[in-house]
Amino acid sequence: MASHDNPDGRADVELRLPADGAYASVLRTTTAGLAARLDFTMDDIEELRIAVGEALALVLSEADPGADLTCRFHLGAGTMTVQVETRATDDPQPDYDSFAWQVLDTLASEAAVESTGGVFAVRFTMSTQVGATGTADDTAGADR
C-alpha cells in the first residue's frame, strides 16, 4: 500500500473500460469494493461512489469518440486516490463551475483536473472517517 505515498507511481489497481456512461456502475462498484477492503465506513463508501460518478461525468463529456476510460486507484491506510482519464485530443479546459466539479471538490480532500497531451484526467483523494477519529464506534453496524 505504499503507492499512496507516491501517487504518481504505479497504481495498486487499474481498470480500463470503454468511455461510455453504460460502464459507470462497473467503476462505482469497483471503487466501493476497494474502499471496503480499506475499512471505509458505509457512509465513506457512498461518498466515494458519488465522487467517482462526478469525476466520470467530467471525463466522459470530454472523451474522444471510441476512446477508453482508464481509472487508477492508489490505496493507502484509510486513504484512496482515484484518477479517471480518457483521450481528449482537443485538450479541453476544465469546467470548474460545473455541478460535477462542485460536488467532487466538496467531497474530496484533494481534487484536480488536468488536460495535457491529449489526455483529460480528474484526480481526487478521499479518506475514511474511521482513520480521522480512530474510534471503534464509527464502524458499528457496518457489514464487512
mmCIF file of all heavy atoms in Angstrom, residues 107-140:
data_model
loop_
_atom_site.group_PDB
_atom_site.id
_atom_site.type_symbol
_atom_site.label_atom_id
_atom_site.label_comp_id
_atom_site.label_asym_id
_atom_site.label_seq_id
_atom_site.Cartn_x
_atom_site.Cartn_y
_atom_site.Cartn_z
ATOM 1 N N LEU A 107 -16.580 16.891 -1.783
ATOM 2 C CA LEU A 107 -16.420 15.581 -1.158
ATOM 3 C C LEU A 107 -14.961 15.202 -0.911
ATOM 4 O O LEU A 107 -14.640 14.582 0.104
ATOM 5 C CB LEU A 107 -17.065 14.498 -2.028
ATOM 6 C CG LEU A 107 -18.577 14.496 -2.108
ATOM 7 C CD1 LEU A 107 -19.047 13.476 -3.136
ATOM 8 C CD2 LEU A 107 -19.188 14.202 -0.742
ATOM 9 N N ALA A 108 -14.086 15.539 -1.831
ATOM 10 C CA ALA A 108 -12.697 15.076 -1.779
ATOM 11 C C ALA A 108 -11.838 15.988 -0.913
ATOM 12 O O ALA A 108 -12.073 17.191 -0.826
ATOM 13 C CB ALA A 108 -12.116 15.019 -3.185
ATOM 14 N N SER A 109 -10.820 15.390 -0.282
ATOM 15 C CA SER A 109 -9.872 16.214 0.467
ATOM 16 C C SER A 109 -8.931 16.935 -0.491
ATOM 17 O O SER A 109 -8.436 18.014 -0.180
ATOM 18 C CB SER A 109 -9.081 15.365 1.464
ATOM 19 O OG SER A 109 -8.423 14.303 0.807
ATOM 20 N N GLU A 110 -8.711 16.358 -1.654
ATOM 21 C CA GLU A 110 -7.933 16.986 -2.726
ATOM 22 C C GLU A 110 -8.574 16.594 -4.046
ATOM 23 O O GLU A 110 -8.997 15.457 -4.211
ATOM 24 C CB GLU A 110 -6.486 16.481 -2.743
ATOM 25 C CG GLU A 110 -5.679 16.786 -1.514
ATOM 26 C CD GLU A 110 -4.300 16.153 -1.587
ATOM 27 O OE1 GLU A 110 -3.751 16.007 -2.703
ATOM 28 O OE2 GLU A 110 -3.786 15.792 -0.533
ATOM 29 N N ALA A 111 -8.624 17.542 -4.986
ATOM 30 C CA ALA A 111 -9.151 17.237 -6.319
ATOM 31 C C ALA A 111 -8.449 18.125 -7.332
ATOM 32 O O ALA A 111 -8.138 19.285 -7.043
ATOM 33 C CB ALA A 111 -10.657 17.464 -6.367
ATOM 34 N N ALA A 112 -8.191 17.557 -8.505
ATOM 35 C CA ALA A 112 -7.517 18.314 -9.561
ATOM 36 C C ALA A 112 -7.971 17.795 -10.918
ATOM 37 O O ALA A 112 -8.353 16.637 -11.058
ATOM 38 C CB ALA A 112 -5.999 18.182 -9.425
ATOM 39 N N VAL A 113 -7.902 18.672 -11.906
ATOM 40 C CA VAL A 113 -8.205 18.320 -13.287
ATOM 41 C C VAL A 113 -6.996 18.714 -14.119
ATOM 42 O O VAL A 113 -6.416 19.779 -13.910
ATOM 43 C CB VAL A 113 -9.452 19.063 -13.809
ATOM 44 C CG1 VAL A 113 -9.732 18.709 -15.257
ATOM 45 C CG2 VAL A 113 -10.653 18.773 -12.940
ATOM 46 N N GLU A 114 -6.628 17.844 -15.049
ATOM 47 C CA GLU A 114 -5.503 18.148 -15.928
ATOM 48 C C GLU A 114 -5.882 17.779 -17.356
ATOM 49 O O GLU A 114 -6.470 16.731 -17.602
ATOM 50 C CB GLU A 114 -4.275 17.361 -15.495
ATOM 51 C CG GLU A 114 -3.037 17.718 -16.283
ATOM 52 C CD GLU A 114 -1.804 17.019 -15.759
ATOM 53 O OE1 GLU A 114 -1.798 16.561 -14.603
ATOM 54 O OE2 GLU A 114 -0.841 16.923 -16.525
ATOM 55 N N SER A 115 -5.526 18.648 -18.274
ATOM 56 C CA SER A 115 -5.780 18.410 -19.686
ATOM 57 C C SER A 115 -4.519 18.754 -20.463
ATOM 58 O O SER A 115 -4.260 19.921 -20.748
ATOM 59 C CB SER A 115 -6.961 19.262 -20.155
ATOM 60 O OG SER A 115 -7.220 19.025 -21.511
ATOM 61 N N THR A 116 -3.723 17.739 -20.744
ATOM 62 C CA THR A 116 -2.472 17.958 -21.474
ATOM 63 C C THR A 116 -2.157 16.756 -22.353
ATOM 64 O O THR A 116 -2.498 15.623 -22.013
ATOM 65 C CB THR A 116 -1.275 18.177 -20.520
ATOM 66 O OG1 THR A 116 -1.164 17.053 -19.654
ATOM 67 C CG2 THR A 116 -1.410 19.443 -19.709
ATOM 68 N N GLY A 117 -1.523 17.026 -23.456
ATOM 69 C CA GLY A 117 -1.048 15.956 -24.323
ATOM 70 C C GLY A 117 -2.129 15.021 -24.826
ATOM 71 O O GLY A 117 -1.871 13.838 -25.032
ATOM 72 N N GLY A 118 -3.342 15.523 -24.992
ATOM 73 C CA GLY A 118 -4.417 14.688 -25.498
ATOM 74 C C GLY A 118 -5.067 13.796 -24.464
ATOM 75 O O GLY A 118 -5.825 12.894 -24.804
ATOM 76 N N VAL A 119 -4.778 14.042 -23.195
ATOM 77 C CA VAL A 119 -5.383 13.261 -22.105
ATOM 78 C C VAL A 119 -6.085 14.222 -21.150
ATOM 79 O O VAL A 119 -5.512 15.215 -20.715
ATOM 80 C CB VAL A 119 -4.323 12.442 -21.339
ATOM 81 C CG1 VAL A 119 -4.939 11.739 -20.142
ATOM 82 C CG2 VAL A 119 -3.647 11.445 -22.261
ATOM 83 N N PHE A 120 -7.346 13.909 -20.845
ATOM 84 C CA PHE A 120 -8.126 14.685 -19.873
ATOM 85 C C PHE A 120 -8.278 13.808 -18.641
ATOM 86 O O PHE A 120 -8.788 12.690 -18.724
ATOM 87 C CB PHE A 120 -9.495 15.041 -20.454
ATOM 88 C CG PHE A 120 -10.281 15.978 -19.588
ATOM 89 C CD1 PHE A 120 -10.047 17.343 -19.637
ATOM 90 C CD2 PHE A 120 -11.250 15.504 -18.728
ATOM 91 C CE1 PHE A 120 -10.774 18.223 -18.850
ATOM 92 C CE2 PHE A 120 -11.981 16.373 -17.932
ATOM 93 C CZ PHE A 120 -11.742 17.735 -17.989
ATOM 94 N N ALA A 121 -7.809 14.298 -17.490
ATOM 95 C CA ALA A 121 -7.799 13.485 -16.274
ATOM 96 C C ALA A 121 -8.358 14.253 -15.085
ATOM 97 O O ALA A 121 -8.129 15.449 -14.936
ATOM 98 C CB ALA A 121 -6.369 13.041 -15.960
ATOM 99 N N VAL A 122 -9.097 13.529 -14.250
ATOM 100 C CA VAL A 122 -9.590 14.040 -12.975
ATOM 101 C C VAL A 122 -9.008 13.146 -11.898
ATOM 102 O O VAL A 122 -9.080 11.916 -11.991
ATOM 103 C CB VAL A 122 -11.130 14.019 -12.910
ATOM 104 C CG1 VAL A 122 -11.618 14.435 -11.526
ATOM 105 C CG2 VAL A 122 -11.724 14.917 -13.983
ATOM 106 N N ARG A 123 -8.416 13.753 -10.882
ATOM 107 C CA ARG A 123 -7.776 13.009 -9.796
ATOM 108 C C ARG A 123 -8.295 13.556 -8.466
ATOM 109 O O ARG A 123 -8.395 14.768 -8.298
ATOM 110 C CB ARG A 123 -6.265 13.180 -9.893
ATOM 111 C CG ARG A 123 -5.493 12.446 -8.850
ATOM 112 C CD ARG A 123 -3.998 12.811 -8.984
ATOM 113 N NE ARG A 123 -3.212 11.904 -8.237
ATOM 114 C CZ ARG A 123 -2.466 10.933 -8.752
ATOM 115 N NH1 ARG A 123 -2.391 10.786 -10.061
ATOM 116 N NH2 ARG A 123 -1.781 10.142 -7.979
ATOM 117 N N PHE A 124 -8.623 12.647 -7.555
ATOM 118 C CA PHE A 124 -9.063 13.092 -6.235
ATOM 119 C C PHE A 124 -8.640 12.097 -5.169
ATOM 120 O O PHE A 124 -8.368 10.934 -5.451
ATOM 121 C CB PHE A 124 -10.585 13.318 -6.198
ATOM 122 C CG PHE A 124 -11.406 12.078 -6.393
ATOM 123 C CD1 PHE A 124 -11.822 11.337 -5.301
ATOM 124 C CD2 PHE A 124 -11.770 11.658 -7.656
ATOM 125 C CE1 PHE A 124 -12.585 10.193 -5.468
ATOM 126 C CE2 PHE A 124 -12.535 10.528 -7.844
ATOM 127 C CZ PHE A 124 -12.936 9.778 -6.745
ATOM 128 N N THR A 125 -8.584 12.585 -3.945
ATOM 129 C CA THR A 125 -8.214 11.769 -2.790
ATOM 130 C C THR A 125 -9.298 11.878 -1.741
ATOM 131 O O THR A 125 -9.804 12.971 -1.473
ATOM 132 C CB THR A 125 -6.871 12.238 -2.194
ATOM 133 O OG1 THR A 125 -5.856 12.136 -3.194
ATOM 134 C CG2 THR A 125 -6.473 11.410 -0.983
ATOM 135 N N MET A 126 -9.637 10.722 -1.169
ATOM 136 C CA MET A 126 -10.598 10.684 -0.070
ATOM 137 C C MET A 126 -10.078 9.742 1.002
ATOM 138 O O MET A 126 -9.347 8.800 0.711
ATOM 139 C CB MET A 126 -11.977 10.244 -0.562
ATOM 140 C CG MET A 126 -12.602 11.275 -1.499
ATOM 141 S SD MET A 126 -14.219 10.829 -2.113
ATOM 142 C CE MET A 126 -15.218 10.975 -0.637
ATOM 143 N N SER A 127 -10.471 10.019 2.239
ATOM 144 C CA SER A 127 -10.063 9.199 3.377
ATOM 145 C C SER A 127 -11.285 8.766 4.150
ATOM 146 O O SER A 127 -12.316 9.431 4.131
ATOM 147 C CB SER A 127 -9.140 9.995 4.301
ATOM 148 O OG SER A 127 -8.003 10.431 3.612
ATOM 149 N N THR A 128 -11.131 7.663 4.875
ATOM 150 C CA THR A 128 -12.222 7.196 5.713
ATOM 151 C C THR A 128 -12.271 8.012 6.999
ATOM 152 O O THR A 128 -11.245 8.468 7.501
ATOM 153 C CB THR A 128 -12.094 5.701 6.035
ATOM 154 O OG1 THR A 128 -13.190 5.324 6.862
ATOM 155 C CG2 THR A 128 -10.798 5.367 6.722
ATOM 156 N N GLN A 129 -13.486 8.191 7.513
ATOM 157 C CA GLN A 129 -13.650 8.908 8.772
ATOM 158 C C GLN A 129 -13.151 8.090 9.957
ATOM 159 O O GLN A 129 -12.853 8.639 11.008
ATOM 160 C CB GLN A 129 -15.118 9.298 8.969
ATOM 161 C CG GLN A 129 -15.618 10.246 7.911
ATOM 162 C CD GLN A 129 -14.787 11.514 7.831
ATOM 163 O OE1 GLN A 129 -14.527 12.168 8.844
ATOM 164 N NE2 GLN A 129 -14.354 11.865 6.640
ATOM 165 N N VAL A 130 -13.054 6.786 9.799
ATOM 166 C CA VAL A 130 -12.560 5.935 10.887
ATOM 167 C C VAL A 130 -11.144 6.331 11.233
ATOM 168 O O VAL A 130 -10.783 6.474 12.383
ATOM 169 C CB VAL A 130 -12.628 4.434 10.505
ATOM 170 C CG1 VAL A 130 -11.943 3.575 11.545
ATOM 171 C CG2 VAL A 130 -14.069 4.009 10.348
ATOM 172 N N GLY A 131 -10.324 6.536 10.208
ATOM 173 C CA GLY A 131 -8.936 6.940 10.432
ATOM 174 C C GLY A 131 -8.841 8.310 11.065
ATOM 175 O O GLY A 131 -7.915 8.608 11.803
ATOM 176 N N ALA A 132 -9.829 9.174 10.797
ATOM 177 C CA ALA A 132 -9.801 10.529 11.332
ATOM 178 C C ALA A 132 -10.109 10.550 12.823
ATOM 179 O O ALA A 132 -9.567 11.338 13.574
ATOM 180 C CB ALA A 132 -10.800 11.408 10.586
ATOM 181 N N THR A 133 -10.991 9.655 13.281
ATOM 182 C CA THR A 133 -11.374 9.676 14.685
ATOM 183 C C THR A 133 -10.759 8.538 15.473
ATOM 184 O O THR A 133 -10.560 8.651 16.673
ATOM 185 C CB THR A 133 -12.904 9.597 14.836
ATOM 186 O OG1 THR A 133 -13.351 8.378 14.261
ATOM 187 C CG2 THR A 133 -13.583 10.771 14.166
ATOM 188 N N GLY A 134 -10.528 7.413 14.765
ATOM 189 C CA GLY A 134 -9.876 6.282 15.410
ATOM 190 C C GLY A 134 -10.723 5.553 16.428
ATOM 191 O O GLY A 134 -10.201 4.869 17.289
ATOM 192 N N THR A 135 -12.046 5.693 16.373
ATOM 193 C CA THR A 135 -12.880 5.002 17.345
ATOM 194 C C THR A 135 -13.571 3.817 16.713
ATOM 195 O O THR A 135 -13.927 3.836 15.545
ATOM 196 C CB THR A 135 -13.956 5.950 17.934
ATOM 197 O OG1 THR A 135 -14.819 6.345 16.892
ATOM 198 C CG2 THR A 135 -13.328 7.149 18.599
ATOM 199 N N ALA A 136 -13.788 2.802 17.494
ATOM 200 C CA ALA A 136 -14.462 1.597 17.010
ATOM 201 C C ALA A 136 -15.925 1.852 16.738
ATOM 202 O O ALA A 136 -16.543 1.170 15.943
ATOM 203 C CB ALA A 136 -14.307 0.470 18.028
ATOM 204 N N ASP A 137 -16.525 2.863 17.387
ATOM 205 C CA ASP A 137 -17.942 3.154 17.207
ATOM 206 C C ASP A 137 -18.268 3.561 15.778
ATOM 207 O O ASP A 137 -19.394 3.437 15.325
ATOM 208 C CB ASP A 137 -18.390 4.278 18.155
ATOM 209 C CG ASP A 137 -18.383 3.823 19.606
ATOM 210 O OD1 ASP A 137 -18.359 2.598 19.833
ATOM 211 O OD2 ASP A 137 -18.406 4.685 20.492
ATOM 212 N N ASP A 138 -17.281 4.071 15.044
ATOM 213 C CA ASP A 138 -17.524 4.524 13.687
ATOM 214 C C ASP A 138 -17.899 3.389 12.739
ATOM 215 O O ASP A 138 -18.496 3.611 11.711
ATOM 216 C CB ASP A 138 -16.281 5.231 13.114
ATOM 217 C CG ASP A 138 -16.000 6.550 13.820
ATOM 218 O OD1 ASP A 138 -16.973 7.155 14.310
ATOM 219 O OD2 ASP A 138 -14.832 6.937 13.897
ATOM 220 N N THR A 139 -17.531 2.157 13.105
ATOM 221 C CA THR A 139 -17.827 1.041 12.217
ATOM 222 C C THR A 139 -18.935 0.154 12.772
ATOM 223 O O THR A 139 -19.216 -0.881 12.205
ATOM 224 C CB THR A 139 -16.564 0.176 11.998
ATOM 225 O OG1 THR A 139 -16.081 -0.274 13.255
ATOM 226 C CG2 THR A 139 -15.501 0.983 11.259
ATOM 227 N N ALA A 140 -19.559 0.569 13.858
ATOM 228 C CA ALA A 140 -20.627 -0.235 14.442
ATOM 229 C C ALA A 140 -21.739 -0.443 13.435
ATOM 230 O O ALA A 140 -22.183 0.490 12.787
ATOM 231 C CB ALA A 140 -21.180 0.459 15.695
#
